[in-house]
Amino acid sequence: MKNFRRSFAILAIFSLVLSLFAGLVQNENAQAAAKPGKPVISVKTGDEGKSAVITIGKTKDAQGYKIMVKKPGAKKFTKLATISEDGTAKRTYTAKKLTEGEYQFKVRAYLKNGKKTVWGKYSKVAKVTVKAVEKEAKVKLDPKVAAVLDENYPELKVLAEAGEIGVTVKTEDEAKEYITLGKWNYERMSWKYYPDAECELYDVITDSKATPMEWQILEYSADGKKALVLSRYVIGHLAYDDEWREVTWETCSARKWLNETFFEKAFSEDEQKLIESTKLKNSDNPETGTKGGNDTEDRIFYLSLEEATKYFPTPEGIGFSVYKYLCTSIDGQVCSWYLRTPGYSQEAVSSYEGTGCPNAYGFGTGQQEFCVRPAFWITLTPEIIENNNLSLSKGKKAESELSIEDLCFTFGSWAIPSMDRNKNPIQWQLLDYDKKNGKILLLSRYSVDNTSFDESNIGSHEQNLDVYWEDCTLRKWLNEKFYDGAFSAAEKARIINTTLTNKGSKDYGKKDGKDTKDNVFLLSQDEAELYFDHSKGDWAANRVLERPDGSIDLWFLRSPGNKNNTAAYVNEFGCADPEPGANIASAAVRPAIWISLK
C-alpha cells in the first residue's frame, strides 16, 4: 500500500511536468506562427516646413517599427529610424533638417520571438513635399519696391533681400506733372531700309483712332489756378509755313492751323472754354538778331526760344544733348520740334532738338521733318486737379505707384571715368527674364568706359581691317580686366558664361562672325532692337544712353559696321545702326551680363 501511494505520487508529478511542457511547446508554436499587421501611416510637415512628422496607427502584434525614407532625387529607400512600442510610445517620429523637394516614407512593424525578429508587411508609401525655407532677409526693402518685385520677379526679390543684388528707384532731376485733356490721332514713323539707295526712309502713319493727350505742366500761375502746359509727345509733322518765304509767327500757316483746325478737332466745347487766350511776346532771335515780328494773342502756340531755354535749361558743363529733355512721338521715337522764334533768317525758324538742346539757327520754314509740340495756358478746375493729382506748386511731385521700369539694380562696382576715380556700384537695367531657366539679362545703365572697339581701329580710316567681336580688343578687356575688377568671387559665381550668336550685316554684305562664349558682352544690333521694342532705323528714346552728368553718349554694339574698320553702335537719337558714317574709334561701353537667380 505504501509502494502504491509512492508510485501514484510519482505518476502525478510526471503528468504535471508533461502538461507544463506541452503548454510551453503550444505557446512557442503559437508565437512562431504570429506576424505583426500592416501599418497605416500619415505624414505632414512641421516646424514651419523644416521637418516631417510620421504618425503610425496602432498595429496588431507590433512591438516596434522600422521607418524607411526616399529622399529627393534618390533612387531607393534607406533606413531612417527604428522605434519601439512599449505601451507609452506615441508611434510618431519627426524627421528634421529636411531640404527642398519630395520625401517618401514607408513603415513595417516587427515583433521579437526569442532572438528572432518577425517582420510584417510595409505600409503604403506616404509622400510630403518640403518647400524651400525662406532665409531671413538681410536687407529690408522699401514696401513699394518689394511689392513690384514680388509681383514680377519673386526670385529676384529673394536675392535683393539677401543683399546679393541691390535695388534702387530711378530719380528724376525735376518733378514732372501731367494732365490729360483732349484727344488726337497721333502720327507715327515707319522706317524702311532701301538697299538699292543704301538709305533708310520713313513713312508717316496716322492713327485711325484718337488717343487722349497728355500735357506736361511747365509752370503754375501765382495763385495756382492756371498752368502753362506743353504736349508730352509731338502730335505730328507740319511745316512752319506752307511756302518757303519770309515769315514770322504772326504770319505763318502753322499758327492758323493750331488755333483753328487743331483747336476745334482736339478739344470738346467744354475743354475749349478752359484754354486761355494768351498775349505772346515775339522777341527777336537773341543770337542772330532776326526780327520776331509783332506780338500776338493765341490760344494754342509754340514756345519761344527764350521760353524753351527757361523751362529746359542746359546743366552747367553740358554743351550738347541733354537726356532729360528728350522729346518723342507717342511710340517713343526721338523727334525735334518747332519753336516760334525766327532762325538765322526770316526764312528759317528756331527749333528744339529731340535730343534735348535748343537750335537758335534753326531750319527752313517749309521743311516738314520737324514736329508739332503745342502749348497753352489752361484754367485748372477742381476736377482736373483731383483727376490728375496735381500739387499746384512747382517742385512737388505727387506720389505714384512704382513699376518695374522705375527700378534699377546694383551689382558689382567700377570706377566710371566720367564720374570719379573711386569705385561705385554699377547700375543695371533689366532687359530679359528667363523664368524657366531662372536667369535675368542686365545692361549697364551708364557707360563704364569710353574706348575703341579694337585698338587697331584708332586712326585707321584708310585701312581694310577685318575686325569682328570674336577677336576685338574690347571683348578681351570686358572679359578680363573689367570682369576681374568689377565683380567679387560670389558675384562671378552668379554670372553665366553665355554662348553668343554673332550675325553679320546683310545690308552691307558683312559675313557672320563666329559664335563666342562670354561672361560679359555687348548687345548685338538685333538684341538692341528686340529688347527696346523698336525696329531697325527708329530713333528710339529708350535706347539713348545718358551719362551720369545728364548728357548723351553713343554706345557700341558687338555687330559689325558697314566697313571692316567699324562696329555698329547706337547714336544720340537711339538709332541702332551698322552704318556709323565715319570711323568710330571711340564710343561708350555698356556691358551686358546674364546672372542666375538660383
Side-chain angles (χ1 to χ4, degrees):
M1 187 68 176
K2 194 173 184 179
N3 290 335
F4 175 78
R5 289 177 179 173
R6 184 181 299 168
S7 299
F8 181 79
I10 292 172
L11 181 61
I13 293 171
F14 178 78
S15 298
L16 179 61
V17 171
L18 185 63
S19 177
L20 289 172
F21 178 76
L24 290 172
V25 170
Q26 184 178 2
N27 184 58
E28 185 176 338
N29 289 338
Q31 286 191 2
K35 280 189 176 183
K38 181 178 178 180
V40 175
I41 68 170
S42 62
V43 60
K44 63 180 181 179
T45 57
D47 192 21
E48 297 182 353
K50 300 176 184 178
S51 63
V53 181
I54 302 104
T55 301
I56 307 168
K58 181 70 174 177
T59 306
K60 182 181 179 181
D61 295 329
Q63 294 178 346
Y65 305 91
K66 182 167 72 171
I67 303 172
M68 304 290 287
V69 62
K70 187 176 181 182
K71 298 178 180 179
K75 294 183 179 180
K76 61 181 182 179
F77 282 87
T78 56
K79 180 181 175 181
L80 176 62
T82 301
I83 60 175
S84 61
E85 184 172 5
D86 58 4
T88 60
K90 296 181 179 180
R91 298 187 304 281
T92 61
Y93 182 83
T94 301
K96 300 179 179 180
K97 297 181 180 180
L98 304 185
T99 58
E100 181 182 7
E102 183 186 80
Y103 285 79
Q104 299 182 25
F105 300 94
K106 62 181 181 179
V107 175
R108 63 173 175 170
Y110 70 87
L111 62 80
K112 290 289 186 180
N113 186 359
K115 295 182 179 180
K116 186 177 180 182
T117 302
V118 181
W119 295 98
K121 293 182 179 180
Y122 275 111
S123 66
K124 291 183 178 180
V125 174
K127 302 177 182 180
V128 67
T129 299
V130 177
K131 296 182 179 180
V133 178
E134 293 186 7
K135 297 180 180 179
E136 187 176 348
K138 293 182 180 179
V139 177
K140 188 174 182 180
L141 299 176
D142 178 277
K144 289 185 177 181
V145 172
V148 172
L149 291 179
D150 201 37
E151 180 180 356
N152 296 276
Y153 308 102
E155 294 169 303
L156 188 53
K157 179 189 174 187
V158 173
L159 287 192
E161 290 179 330
E164 295 189 42
I165 191 169
V167 186
T168 59
V169 179
K170 296 177 183 176
T171 57
E172 296 184 15
D173 294 330
E174 291 184 347
K176 292 182 180 179
E177 293 185 295
Y178 299 92
I179 66 170
T180 301
L181 192 80
K183 291 184 178 181
W184 188 250
N185 301 79
Y186 282 97
E187 288 184 1
R188 303 168 191 262
M189 290 186 293
S190 175
W191 290 83
K192 184 178 179 182
Y193 179 78
Y194 294 88
D196 294 340
E198 293 189 354
C199 67
E200 293 168 341
L201 299 174
Y202 67 84
D203 294 324
V204 175
I205 300 174
T206 304
D207 287 348
S208 59
K209 185 178 179 181
T211 302
M213 289 185 287
E214 292 183 77
W215 303 84
Q216 180 184 340
I217 294 180
L218 299 180
E219 182 181 348
Y220 286 106
S221 61
D223 58 7
K225 295 181 179 180
K226 299 178 182 179
L228 173 62
V229 299
L230 177 71
S231 59
R232 182 172 188 174
Y233 308 107
V234 298
I235 64 172
H237 297 76
L238 181 74
Y240 190 74
D241 194 71
D242 292 338
E243 302 177 27
W244 287 81
R245 60 180 179 135
E246 292 187 355
V247 294
T248 61
W249 169 250
E250 180 189 17
T251 58
C252 74
S253 60
R255 177 183 173 228
K256 178 180 175 65
W257 182 86
L258 284 171
N259 283 278
E260 294 180 6
T261 304
F262 175 72
F263 178 74
E264 293 173 2
K265 182 179 179 181
F267 305 103
S268 67
E269 290 186 6
D270 289 339
E271 290 172 330
Q272 290 175 12
K273 295 175 182 178
L274 301 176
I275 297 175
E276 299 285 326
S277 181
T278 306
K279 293 182 179 180
L280 302 177
K281 183 174 179 59
N282 299 306
S283 303
D284 300 343
N285 189 305
E287 294 190 29
T288 66
T290 308
K291 299 298 181 182
N294 297 322
D295 294 344
T296 58
E297 188 168 341
D298 301 287
R299 291 181 180 273
I300 313 291
F301 51 89
Y302 292 155
L303 295 183
S304 67
L305 183 61
E306 181 182 7
E307 290 166 339
T309 53
K310 171 187 175 183
Y311 298 118
F312 304 104
T314 302
E316 185 176 352
I318 299 179
F320 185 53
S321 302
V322 183
Y323 181 82
K324 63 182 177 180
Y325 299 149
L326 283 173
C327 177
T328 72
S329 61
I330 195 169
D331 56 351
Q333 299 188 61
V334 177
C335 300
S336 298
W337 42 289
Y338 282 119
L339 303 174
R340 71 175 188 270
T341 303
Y344 58 86
S345 73
Q346 297 295 165
E347 291 186 359
V349 63
S350 60
S351 63
Y352 210 92
E353 301 294 326
T355 50
C357 59
N359 183 344
Y361 288 82
F363 293 86
T365 56
Q367 289 184 248
Q368 294 193 15
E369 289 82 359
F370 279 61
C371 298
V372 178
R373 199 177 184 191
F376 56 82
W377 278 92
I378 182 173
T379 299
L380 298 174
T381 64
E383 291 77 18
I384 291 177
I385 295 170
E386 181 180 359
N387 293 341
N388 296 279
N389 200 18
L390 300 182
S391 66
L392 304 183
S393 63
K394 187 174 173 132
K396 292 183 180 179
K397 185 177 180 180
E399 284 193 20
S400 59
E401 294 297 321
L402 293 178
S403 67
I404 196 67
E405 288 77 19
D406 296 317
L407 304 181
C408 64
F409 304 89
T410 55
F411 188 79
S413 58
W414 188 250
I416 301 176
S418 59
M419 292 181 68
D420 53 45
R421 295 183 180 180
N422 300 319
K423 274 193 170 185
N424 294 284
I426 304 172
Q427 294 187 33
W428 306 83
Q429 65 185 82
L430 193 151
L431 293 186
D432 197 0
Y433 172 45
D434 185 345
K435 186 175 182 180
K436 180 179 179 181
N437 296 302
K439 62 181 183 178
I440 55 175
L441 175 62
L442 300 177
L443 176 71
S444 65
R445 184 181 179 190
Y446 300 118
S447 166
V448 299
D449 206 344
N450 277 67
T451 186
S452 60
F453 189 79
D454 190 78
E455 291 177 355
S456 59
N457 205 311
I458 301 175
S460 58
H461 292 266
E462 304 302 326
Q463 297 182 43
N464 187 28
L465 301 176
D466 195 6
V467 179
Y468 281 78
W469 169 251
E470 66 221 43
D471 51 18
C472 72
T473 56
L474 182 52
R475 177 184 175 226
K476 179 180 175 67
W477 181 85
L478 282 171
N479 283 278
E480 292 180 7
K481 185 176 180 179
F482 177 74
Y483 177 71
D484 289 333
F487 306 108
S488 67
E491 289 167 337
K492 288 178 181 177
R494 288 213 170 270
I495 297 176
I496 300 169
N497 189 251
T498 304
T499 300
L500 304 175
T501 300
N502 299 303
K503 293 183 180 180
S505 174
K506 294 180 180 179
D507 295 339
Y508 298 103
K510 299 304 295 289
K511 65 180 182 180
D512 292 344
K514 296 178 182 178
D515 291 352
T516 58
K517 290 184 72 68
D518 298 289
N519 292 313
V520 187
F521 53 93
L522 303 180
L523 295 184
S524 67
Q525 184 186 354
D526 287 345
E527 289 166 342
E529 292 164 356
L530 169 66
Y531 291 122
F532 293 100
D533 195 28
H534 279 274
S535 61
K536 184 178 181 295
D538 282 356
W539 293 2
N542 55 357
R543 279 199 296 254
V544 175
L545 172 61
E546 178 188 14
R547 291 182 179 135
D549 65 359
S551 60
I552 292 172
D553 211 344
L554 317 179
W555 52 288
F556 275 126
L557 302 173
R558 72 174 188 270
S559 301
N562 66 327
K563 298 178 181 178
N564 289 339
N565 64 344
T566 62
Y569 74 109
V570 177
N571 67 18
E572 67 271 27
F573 293 96
C575 179
D577 199 334
E579 183 182 6
N583 180 45
I584 300 297
S586 179
V589 180
R590 291 184 83 178
I593 52 175
W594 280 98
I595 69 170
S596 173
L597 299 177
K598 296 181 179 179

